[in-house]
Amino acid sequence: MRSVSIRQLAAASVVTPVVAVAGILLLLIWGSTTRTAEALGRTMTEHAGAMVGDNVRAYLSDAVRVSDLYARRIEDGTLSTSDLDAWRGPMLQDLVTSPGVASICFGEADGRAVYLQRANGRIEYGLGVGPGENQCREFEVSAGGVVSAEPLRVYRYDPVARPWYAAAVDAGQATWTPVYFWFATHGGDAETGAGYARPVLDADGTLLGVLTIDVTLSDLSAFLEDIPIGEGGNLFLTDANGVLVAATEGAVTSEDGQRLALADSSSRAARQVATIASRVRTGDDGAGVIAPSQSGRVRVAGESALVSISAITPFRGLDWRLATVIPESSFMGEARTAQTRALLIAIVASIAAALVALRFSERLVQPVLALRAHMKRWSRGEYETPLELRAARELEDLSRDVNAAALDLRNHVQVKASLALANQVQHSLLPEHPPAVAGLDLAGNSTYCDETGGDYYDFIDVHPAPAGAAGATPQPVTESDSKPGMMVVVGDVMGHGVAAALLMATARATLRLRARTTANLGRILTDMNNVLADDFQDGRFMTMAIALIEPGARRARWACAGHESPLVYEPSTDAFRTLTGGDYPLGVVPGTEFREYPIEGLSPGAILAIGTDGIWEAKNEAGEMFGIERLREIIRRQAGHSAAQIARTIDQELERFLGQARANDDVTYAIAKLV
């Protein structure tokens, strides 16, 4: 009998009943109710924005009305600019009967001024006879007009220096000022506000002074809180730069008295709509121009809310933005009810479909369980037991594929374990830590781009053992071994991986063996080349640079086999020495006679560095190479630090340069600093 397709089983037992009965029903009902509710919500936010705009204009009209009243009084002689103290009675009456007005103030060009304001929980009356020190006296005034005997303060008040004075003079007519600090200080008790300021002229058109009627932002915020916009809704009024003017949630100024931007508000709702509000622009007629993207949806306190942004210009000089935020719960009630009913119907349909599909699903469950058990055997390293699935044609094919993959995985795991062991062995061939040598500070590092690599660095002490020392092995000293020292070695086998690692190990053993018998670097490389030429097949080769440093004599010798010459930095001249010389790579031309070269007159603090091309040929994501000049600059910049610090800086700078790019070659270097 032909096995049944697993696709047919899935369609018959799961897909058809669930999608047909539950999915289509839910999508239709959910979509239609959501669209209806969102249309209602957009209408609510747009209506709320228009209503608030009208209310804000009406609120500010109180200040305009009072300003017009005082302009008429001055014009008909009811109030005289020569007797400012006579203004106190009318000002008190107008301030008490105009709750939207926080301050009435008149200042003259000669520095005389009179004001009455609601501040610090009381009514304060100020009279200034000039702009000099202590020429303004401020008193507390009761609602009945009784002035305190002692002044609250005596200070300097120059009306000409106030923002509202300059705004009116510059405009040449009545105008609303930008928001400014109402009090002179900017501390925690500072108050911000805006004023309706107008220049006052005599019959000849000469400026007598400036009259300003102020409203405070705190009063404006309190006014917005009384406007009904739906349960949980919020209003945020900002200037054209996105700085808060008034808000129903959160402060508009910080604790230190600084005005807050919408994005810096303590209100989460304000921060959520900040980016939307910043995209509103103002048209030529002063009306807000709102693109569809400026009305959107945000999440506030875990609930979705609609946002509508509008630009309002209630009066000349006021270019404001109004953000209206209405929670979804204010308009989604009926929609949620309909969606709940649809959800219940879908649940019932799904349960019925599940019962029908249950008998068919058994045929699908058993193969899956068998496959799961088989995967657990893999996790325990059991790859020999075959998987046999026979419920469907595709499952039989899957069994064959899984069994084939098991063999590949077993081989891969074995190779991985072997590479890990090789990596461990190879790292054991590198110095565990730099040796302690008098007069030298040493550091080195090797990082492989694969599990194993072909780079190598070493520190070899070529000091001959003192005669008669216990356990000492005599070391012959040749004609070039006049002074013992520390040998610093860096090598690079072509390529990387296991083959390169094996060749590197061979080279290390040969080098250390020859270093026990001679300190002539040319002779060491010559002997290594003859040995490695027989081991390096199919075109492989190895580059190497060796330096033997004699710290006591302040000199060194070096030899090079196809490798970049050592970098020698002299802090006394702040320059790198130019080293010339070097021979073929090891393993290329048998019988090559290698030479060594002297480095005389090393100064204290001199640094010798040898690296592989994996450093300067490393490329970042843009394809740019790290370059040897960057390495030189790191050494120069870190010359005053230890060799270990220089090494750490090289690693950090290389990692920062690569970014997300992956190193394609091994990175190895050794550093020696004379101390």
Side-chain angles (χ1 to χ4, degrees):
M1 181 179 176
R2 186 179 180 182
S3 56
V4 180
S5 170
I6 195 171
R7 298 183 182 89
Q8 297 170 351
L9 287 175
S13 62
V14 179
V15 178
T16 302
V18 172
V19 172
V21 177
I24 296 177
L25 182 62
L26 263 180
L27 288 174
L28 290 175
I29 298 178
W30 205 282
S32 62
T33 54
T34 299
R35 285 191 296 271
T36 302
E38 287 183 346
L40 175 61
R42 285 192 294 270
T43 301
M44 289 178 61
T45 54
E46 291 169 2
H47 174 72
M51 178 185 65
V52 171
D54 292 340
N55 276 270
V56 168
R57 181 179 179 86
Y59 176 79
L60 298 177
S61 294
D62 214 13
V64 176
R65 176 187 58 79
V66 172
S67 178
D68 292 342
L69 174 62
Y70 275 77
R72 289 194 300 270
R73 288 174 176 172
I74 295 173
E75 184 177 357
D76 62 21
T78 304
L79 292 177
S80 172
T81 58
S82 60
D83 184 10
L84 297 183
D85 190 43
W87 289 44
R88 174 163 45 89
M91 291 170 68
L92 179 60
Q93 180 181 0
D94 294 330
L95 193 68
V96 171
T97 57
S98 303
V101 173
S103 169
I104 303 172
C105 180
F106 177 73
E108 299 189 5
D110 61 2
R112 294 188 303 121
V114 61
Y115 64 84
L116 197 70
Q117 63 186 18
R118 268 192 292 264
N120 304 310
R122 63 196 175 202
I123 298 177
E124 299 173 348
Y125 167 67
L127 183 64
V129 296
E133 295 292 334
N134 301 324
Q135 293 197 41
C136 183
R137 302 168 68 86
E138 185 177 281
F139 301 86
E140 181 177 358
V141 181
S142 69
V146 178
V147 180
S148 62
E150 295 296 328
L152 296 172
R153 58 176 178 156
V154 178
Y155 68 108
R156 177 180 180 176
Y157 181 77
D158 185 2
V160 178
R162 299 299 290 155
W164 48 265
Y165 195 100
V169 172
D170 292 342
Q173 59 182 324
T175 183
W176 277 93
T177 69
V179 175
Y180 63 90
F181 279 95
W182 198 37
F183 298 157
T185 62
H186 288 205
D189 295 330
E191 179 68 84
T192 51
Y196 186 68
R198 70 194 310 154
V200 177
L201 311 176
D202 63 10
D204 298 329
T206 302
L207 179 68
L208 297 176
V210 174
L211 173 71
T212 181
I213 310 299
D214 287 344
V215 294
T216 64
L217 300 194
S218 58
D219 288 343
L220 185 54
S221 295
F223 170 74
L224 292 182
E225 291 175 0
D226 294 334
I227 300 177
I229 57 167
E231 184 177 355
N234 280 302
L235 298 171
F236 302 98
L237 196 61
T238 70
D239 61 20
N241 297 319
V243 180
L244 282 164
V245 174
T248 58
E249 182 179 82
V252 298
T253 55
S254 63
E255 292 183 358
D256 61 354
Q258 299 297 318
R259 293 186 62 201
L260 292 173
L262 187 65
D264 299 326
S265 171
S266 59
S267 167
R268 183 176 181 181
R271 297 194 301 272
Q272 290 283 354
V273 302
T275 55
I276 301 177
S278 65
R279 295 196 293 268
V280 178
R281 61 185 178 85
T282 303
D284 296 336
D285 58 354
V289 179
I290 311 299
S293 61
Q294 273 102 54
S295 293
R297 188 185 296 271
V298 297
R299 293 196 66 81
V300 179
E303 181 181 0
S304 181
L306 285 182
V307 179
S308 176
I309 311 297
S310 57
I312 62 173
T313 307
F315 292 99
R316 178 184 176 84
L318 298 181
D319 182 15
W320 288 351
R321 309 287 184 263
L322 176 65
T324 306
V325 184
I326 298 182
E328 202 174 66
S329 58
S330 297
F331 55 85
M332 285 291 290
E334 291 297 327
R336 293 291 184 231
T337 301
Q339 290 172 353
T340 301
R341 293 195 194 99
L343 182 60
L344 291 175
I345 295 174
I347 291 174
V348 173
S350 298
I351 292 174
L355 293 175
V356 174
L358 182 61
R359 58 182 298 182
F360 298 102
S361 63
E362 291 297 328
R363 299 187 65 182
L364 299 175
V365 170
Q366 293 304 321
V368 173
L369 294 177
L371 180 60
R372 180 183 179 189
H374 192 73
M375 294 298 103
K376 287 185 176 180
R377 288 195 292 271
W378 278 15
S379 67
R380 297 192 297 268
E382 301 173 10
Y383 304 105
E384 293 77 11
T385 304
L387 175 66
E388 296 183 0
L389 302 177
R390 303 186 182 279
R393 181 171 63 249
E394 291 83 353
L395 294 177
E396 294 174 1
D397 295 338
L398 178 62
S399 297
R400 287 191 293 270
D401 293 341
V402 169
N403 292 333
L407 297 178
D408 294 339
L409 181 60
R410 180 182 60 187
N411 295 335
H412 178 75
V413 170
Q414 291 173 348
V415 171
K416 196 76 173 177
S418 299
L419 288 176
L421 179 60
N423 178 270
Q424 181 180 357
V425 171
Q426 187 174 22
H427 274 84
S428 69
L429 300 178
L430 300 175
E432 183 176 356
H433 51 75
V437 179
L440 278 181
D441 182 15
L442 303 172
N445 185 42
S446 187
T447 303
Y448 300 142
C449 62
D450 289 335
E451 287 84 353
T452 56
D455 279 9
Y456 162 66
Y457 81 96
D458 210 345
F459 301 111
I460 303 175
D461 190 352
V462 296
H463 287 69
T473 301
Q475 299 184 14
V477 178
T478 68
E479 66 277 8
S480 63
D481 295 332
S482 58
K483 289 287 184 181
M486 176 58 62
M487 189 180 296
V488 180
V489 186
V490 171
D492 183 1
V493 178
M494 184 195 74
H496 42 82
V498 175
L502 294 175
L503 295 175
M504 183 274 278
T506 301
R508 175 185 183 275
T510 304
L511 170 65
R512 282 185 163 261
L513 179 64
R514 294 299 296 130
R516 292 172 60 87
T517 60
T518 180
N520 186 297
L521 305 182
R523 188 175 304 161
I524 290 175
L525 289 180
T526 299
D527 293 344
M528 287 185 66
N529 180 64
N530 294 331
V531 172
L532 297 179
D534 295 333
D535 294 338
F536 285 14
Q537 303 297 328
D538 57 30
R540 289 185 178 272
F541 59 86
M542 180 179 189
T543 66
M544 180 172 286
I546 308 177
L548 197 156
I549 305 173
E550 303 171 15
R554 298 294 179 187
R555 66 184 181 186
R557 289 177 280 121
W558 69 281
C560 189
H563 203 88
E564 185 75 22
S565 302
L567 300 177
V568 180
Y569 174 71
E570 288 283 3
S572 59
T573 61
D574 189 25
F576 285 87
R577 291 196 182 191
T578 301
L579 302 184
T580 58
D583 296 289
Y584 295 115
L586 300 175
V588 175
V589 181
T592 300
E593 292 291 331
F594 290 81
R595 294 160 293 176
E596 69 174 17
Y597 305 90
I599 306 175
E600 300 289 347
L602 293 173
S603 62
I607 298 172
L608 185 146
I610 307 175
T612 62
D613 57 7
I615 301 176
W616 44 85
E617 292 183 2
K619 294 183 178 180
N620 60 18
E621 297 170 290
E624 178 188 5
M625 288 200 302
F626 188 76
I628 201 166
E629 285 305 318
R630 278 192 174 91
L631 179 60
R632 288 172 178 250
E633 182 57 30
I634 293 173
I635 295 173
R636 174 184 286 109
R637 193 173 65 246
Q638 298 292 321
H641 299 283
S642 66
Q645 177 61 37
I646 297 173
R648 282 193 296 271
T649 304
I650 293 173
D651 292 339
Q652 293 168 359
E653 292 291 331
L654 185 59
E655 180 180 3
R656 184 180 299 110
F657 174 81
L658 289 174
Q660 299 300 318
R662 181 181 181 274
N664 293 320
D665 199 0
D666 304 331
V667 172
T668 301
Y669 57 84
I671 298 171
K673 179 179 179 180
L674 273 69
V675 296

